Amino acid sequence: MSAPAPRPSVVPLLWYDKPREAIAWLETALGFESQMVVGGDEGASSIPS
């Protein structure tokens, strides 16, 4: 049995001025689905699936 493939060590990161609008656009335009959206004083963070 072979060992599982290693996880990538580079993680892409994008910053948006209007995160909630960016999340909505990514979901509509590219079919992304958020698994979790965390709101805060400065906006929102999303973990896409």
Side-chain angles (χ1 to χ4, degrees):
M1 181 178 264
S2 63
R7 298 188 120 201
S9 59
V10 175
V11 178
L13 180 65
L14 299 173
W15 292 95
Y16 295 96
D17 289 330
K18 298 177 182 176
R20 292 194 185 274
E21 291 179 22
I23 292 168
W25 182 85
L26 289 167
E27 290 174 337
T28 302
L30 302 177
F32 287 8
E33 295 180 10
S34 294
Q35 292 181 338
M36 179 174 61
V37 176
V38 179
D41 294 338
E42 298 296 321
S45 298
S46 177
I47 300 173
S49 60

